[in-house]
Every structure is written in structure tokens, then in C-alpha cells.
Amino acid sequence: LYWQKPMRRGGDGMQLTVQDVLDYELLEGAVVRTAKEQARARPVHWVSVMEMPVENFVRRNELVLTTAMGCNNDLEVFRGFVQDIIDSGAAALMIAMGRHVYEIPKEIAQLAEENEFLLVELPWELRFSTVIEEVMIDLNDLHRQERQRSEQVQQDLLKLILADAELEKIAAYIRRELDSALLITDAHGTMQAAAGFSRAKLEEWDQQVGKGVFPIHRAAPKENRDPMIQKFRSGELGGQKIIQVPVLQVSEEAQGYLFVELPETVGDGRLDVFSVHVLEHAATTISLWRSRQNAVEETKAALRMDFVRELGNGEFTSKEQAASRARALGYDLELSYISLAGSPENFRELFERKKNGYSSFTEWSKSMVAYIEEEVHYAAHAMKRAVITGYADGYLIIFLEKPLESGQENQINFLDLIERRLGNLLPEVVLSWGIGDHAEGFDGFSDSFRHAKTALDIGRKKKGPGHRMDY
């Protein structure tokens, strides 16, 4: 659909090459003197007329036309001029023959051959303006096609967002457009979706993240002025070059990353314009997906927090009302539970010392509580126990399933597992715990939590922060 209208001349519809330019009818009299085999591989991104001095006026992949009028038949000056053009990364040098240069010296031809650089002889009577006009028509046509294709990618990605697509489906679409394997991760490098990576590559990824190799945090490269490309970082995974693209929040902080393997054909690490556009659209789409997911999770968390607080404080008017809310959140109130109350003792102190880029204490403490709640759920899953948990009024409220035959070791083992894992994840956080008693019936939830808070307060007074107290 993107390429129904072919290029006016030659080309594969994706880029203009030196060979495409040489195939123009007006260049029938042109003679390729050096590196002829490179003509199909050299892309042309721009065209210009250049005389001495070259300095930094020639861009990479620029087709340069010249009369070499400043060389004055001086071999060394001519050699320096051609060397400067080669060093600039130009696509080719086309020299008008007949007034200032009658023959390309063999020393110059040898220099070009050694650098696999194209030197082309043009008839003197050929107007540079005619060549420039023809090249610009094709370049403009390519830019229009690239723009249309880029807009189509943007529309397709937005449709995926509107269709509530999963992140894996978005990753698969991006991979098809770029024809490259990719990873989508959170801000810490933990994989959230992948497309095209082998199991061995994913295992290596986890190892590199564990070593701190990824995500990449080094300073931005300065050689490119494009604000999008300046956000890219490059690294290597399994001998393959990989590009890191940040998925930004409104605050311009990375909330995650897109990692894309570069094709082997991109030997110098430079992406074409279309690929850069796809990556830009992809990063925006992933950011939208995250925002939607965050909104859903925040809503669920708020509902869960309200439910747990009302359950612990005995605010429900009936068991049926609580049971209805519990079913919507995936909780089973028919099981036997015992309550635990946890209190982080040094959050404010840690925030003032570290902050880690968070704008407020509230934002930072939410993230810390989220880490602790993850470990609570992990411990319950490891012990094959149901758990109801939330954070409200400065307390971590936990209702842990307590099988009838189990004793105190049920909650002791549970807290041991949590604290052992938190000791590795958040070693500086000090937590105090109060353990309630088991009470039968619906009112037992609030009774057990009230006793847990009482035990927590007594433990603080008698033992200080960081201790446990059983009611």
C-alpha cells in the first residue's frame, strides 16, 4: 500500500543510490573512474556543488559536484581536496572534465580506490543545475513516500491503543515495521514484552541488567543535533549492536525503555529516517499504553485500599456488602484470617537522604510501599496462603490466611520471609510489626486488626522501632 507509486527513475523505492543517479538519461556521458562496484550501495541523501575549501560544508552521503577550479593543476592540492571529500563521508564526487581538469591523475584514482570511493567524470557541457534538479525531484518523492509510510505507522499504533491491545501485540507490530528484534522494559530494565529475541538472548539480557550494563545512563552523543536521536543510547548484547530508546513521561523522565537490535547492514550504527520515525512513534505509543495501564492500576489500588481500610476499621454495614466488594477485587472472606499491622519507621529520613529524583515525599513513599506490598504477595504465594493487603493511615494492613491447624509459625514464617527479601531489596528500611489474634466471624476482621495495632504500639514502646509484638 505504501509503494504503489514507483519512483520516477530506478531505485527500490526505499532510498536513492549513486547508481540510480548514474542511470539518469542526462548522465549517459558520465564515466565512473573508481569503486564502480560501490555505486548501488552508496545512498544519496543530498546533492551540492563544492569547490575549495571543503572544511565541514559536506554532509555524510552527500553527492558532490565540482569543477575542481581551485586546484590549479596542483597534484597535492587536488589530492587534499579529494581526501577532504572522502573524509566527509560523501556518497561520490562528480568532476566536470574539460577546463580545470582534463584527466584524473592516477595518484588521485588510487587514493579513491583505496578508500572505495566513487569518482565520476562528467562532460563539461552538462549543467550542474540540471543534475541537481533531477536528484532533488527523486529525493522529494522519497521523502513524501517516507512521510506517508510514517503517518500510516502512527495511525496503526494509535489504533492498537484504542483497541486496548496488549503490549506484546504492540511489540510485534513494531518488530514487523523495523524488521528487528526488540525488548520493552520498565525503568529498571526488567522485561515487559519482547519480539524476536531467543530464550538464550533473554537470559543474557537478565544477566546484563543484573550487572548494571542496561539500562544505559551515559551522557548523550553530541555529533547529532536531532533532539530525538540525542535521546538514543547504543550498546551491545551478544555481539549485536542495540539501540536504547527512552519511553518518557510528561516530566521528560524515562518510565521505561525500548531496546532494538540494529540490522547487520547498519554497520556504522546510523538509522535511516523511517526507522527513527518508527521508533519515535513507538516510544509515544508505549508511553500512552503505560499511562492507560497506570490509570487502571491506580484505580484498582485505590479501590483495594479503601476496601482493606474499611474492613480493618469495621466500617461495613453488613457482611453481604463486604463480600460483594471482596468478590469484585478477587478476595475470599470465607477463609480464616489473622491480621498484621506494619509500620515503616524511617521513610522520611530515607527520603531526605536519597530522594532519587522523586518530586515529593508522597510520590516516593508510594513507590516504597508498592515494593513492600510486592514482597507481601510473594511471601503469601510462596507459603500458598491467601492474603488481603493495603496501606492506609500510615499502616500496612495485612490479613493473612490462617489454616485452622497452623499455629504461630504461620505468621512468624510469613514475616521472616518478607524481612529476608526486604533485607536485600530495601536494606535500610526499618519496619515494626504487630500481630493480631484470630477471631471468628465477620467482626473478627476489625477485632484482629485492632489488636494488631495495639500490639504494634506496645512493641514500639517496649522494644523500639524494628521489632515485632504479638498481641
Side-chain angles (χ1 to χ4, degrees):
L1 290 177
Y2 306 138
W3 307 110
Q4 285 180 352
K5 181 181 178 183
M7 282 188 60
R8 196 170 47 81
R9 311 185 195 282
D12 60 1
M14 296 299 291
Q15 68 178 2
L16 185 69
T17 67
V18 174
Q19 186 61 55
D20 296 328
V21 177
L22 292 171
D23 289 340
Y24 292 168
E25 290 179 12
L26 61 93
L27 288 179
E28 284 181 345
V31 178
V32 181
R33 282 292 309 276
T34 61
K36 187 174 183 178
E37 67 282 355
Q38 296 293 321
R40 294 192 183 279
R42 292 294 171 87
V44 175
H45 294 167
W46 196 249
V47 60
S48 68
V49 177
M50 178 60 58
E51 305 295 349
M52 294 182 63
V54 176
E55 296 182 353
N56 62 345
F57 295 115
V58 176
R59 292 187 290 186
R60 186 174 183 80
N61 296 325
E62 186 168 313
L63 179 63
V64 180
L65 309 176
T66 187
T67 65
M69 61 185 297
C71 296
N72 298 320
N73 294 318
D74 187 315
L75 178 61
E76 289 307 314
V77 173
F78 195 7
R79 186 202 301 272
F81 173 67
V82 173
Q83 185 66 61
D84 287 345
I85 297 292
I86 293 172
D87 292 342
S88 70
L93 178 62
M94 293 185 168
I95 306 171
M97 310 295 290
R99 179 168 296 183
H100 303 286
V101 178
Y102 292 94
E103 182 183 8
I104 296 178
K106 62 179 181 181
E107 294 88 350
I108 304 300
Q110 183 180 353
L111 172 66
E113 284 289 0
E114 289 173 354
N115 288 276
E116 297 184 325
F117 183 72
L118 284 145
L119 288 181
V120 182
E121 296 177 352
L122 298 181
W124 179 262
E125 61 272 13
L126 180 62
R127 293 177 182 272
F128 283 177
S129 60
T130 307
V131 178
I132 291 172
E133 181 182 10
E134 294 294 301
V135 172
M136 290 308 301
I137 288 173
D138 278 350
L139 287 177
N140 287 333
D141 190 34
L142 276 171
H143 293 162
R144 178 187 58 78
Q145 294 177 18
E146 278 187 342
R147 185 173 64 253
Q148 289 177 343
R149 192 178 177 198
S150 174
E151 289 172 353
Q152 184 63 50
V153 169
Q154 186 180 38
Q155 291 173 17
D156 290 345
L157 286 170
L158 286 174
K159 286 177 183 176
L160 288 173
I161 288 291
L162 294 174
D164 204 21
E166 293 297 325
L167 198 56
E168 288 79 7
K169 192 170 184 179
I170 294 173
Y173 176 87
I174 299 168
R175 190 207 173 190
R176 285 197 303 272
E177 289 300 319
L178 292 174
D179 194 24
S180 299
L182 60 91
L183 282 170
I184 299 174
T185 75
D186 64 11
H188 306 289
T190 303
M191 187 192 71
Q192 296 181 317
F197 274 90
S198 64
R199 184 181 297 275
K201 215 55 171 300
L202 293 176
E203 290 176 356
E204 184 179 356
W205 172 262
D206 290 337
Q207 293 173 5
Q208 295 297 319
V209 170
K211 294 176 182 177
V213 176
F214 296 104
I216 304 165
H217 296 295
R218 62 173 174 267
K222 297 180 180 179
E223 64 269 14
N224 197 301
R225 296 182 180 180
D226 187 315
M228 182 64 189
I229 295 179
Q230 284 183 345
K231 296 173 184 175
F232 293 178
R233 302 290 183 275
S234 61
E236 191 172 294
L237 181 68
Q240 189 87 16
K241 288 184 179 178
I242 193 166
I243 289 289
Q244 172 183 294
V245 183
V247 177
L248 301 176
Q249 298 173 318
V250 177
S251 62
E252 290 295 302
E253 292 181 0
Q255 58 176 325
Y257 297 96
L258 172 63
F259 292 89
V260 180
E261 273 191 349
L262 285 178
E264 293 182 2
T265 53
V266 188
D268 58 0
R270 288 177 170 84
L271 296 168
D272 57 47
V273 175
F274 173 71
S275 296
V276 172
H277 287 170
V278 171
L279 291 175
E280 188 172 9
H281 297 325
T284 302
T285 301
I286 296 169
S287 180
L288 288 172
W289 185 89
R290 288 186 186 282
S291 296
R292 185 192 65 195
Q293 290 300 111
N294 289 342
V296 171
E297 292 301 322
E298 285 177 6
T299 301
K300 288 181 179 178
L303 292 173
R304 186 174 66 247
M305 188 179 298
D306 289 342
F307 171 79
V308 174
R309 186 186 65 248
E310 292 172 34
L311 187 65
N313 293 335
E315 297 176 11
F316 285 105
T317 57
S318 67
K319 179 180 179 180
E320 290 72 24
Q321 180 193 22
S324 176
R325 291 265 299 279
R327 282 193 297 272
L329 295 168
Y331 296 142
D332 183 1
L333 298 187
E334 296 301 321
L335 299 174
S336 181
Y337 292 92
I338 188 169
S339 180
L340 299 95
S343 177
E345 302 288 7
N346 62 336
F347 269 11
R348 176 65 69 175
E349 176 188 340
L350 289 178
F351 174 73
E352 294 301 331
R353 273 172 36 204
K354 297 196 173 184
K355 295 187 179 179
N356 293 328
Y358 286 91
S359 58
S360 68
F361 174 72
T362 300
E363 181 188 3
W364 179 84
S365 60
K366 277 184 179 179
S367 68
M368 297 295 283
V369 169
Y371 286 133
I372 296 172
E373 286 190 310
E374 283 182 13
E375 296 308 316
V376 168
H377 286 284
Y378 174 86
H381 177 75
M383 292 179 61
K384 296 182 173 56
R385 301 284 191 267
V387 69
I388 301 171
T389 181
Y391 185 77
D393 305 324
Y395 293 103
L396 189 66
I397 306 170
I398 299 173
F399 291 102
L400 176 67
E401 180 188 1
K402 184 181 184 300
L404 295 178
E405 68 277 7
S406 67
Q408 279 190 325
E409 71 278 0
N410 180 66
Q411 47 269 27
I412 291 173
N413 292 341
F414 176 72
L415 289 178
D416 284 346
L417 181 54
I418 291 173
E419 292 189 338
R420 187 162 59 247
R421 287 179 59 86
L422 285 177
N424 294 323
L425 179 66
L426 304 171
E428 296 180 291
V429 172
V430 176
L431 284 169
S432 300
W433 296 97
I435 304 171
D437 52 358
H438 171 66
E440 294 290 342
F442 176 67
D443 291 336
F445 284 100
S446 57
D447 290 342
S448 182
F449 179 59
R450 187 174 68 253
H451 294 165
K453 286 196 296 183
T454 300
L456 175 63
D457 292 339
I458 293 173
R460 278 173 171 163
K461 292 176 182 177
K462 287 195 171 187
K463 298 182 178 180
H467 288 84
R468 303 175 192 170
M469 178 65 73
D470 192 305
Y471 182 77

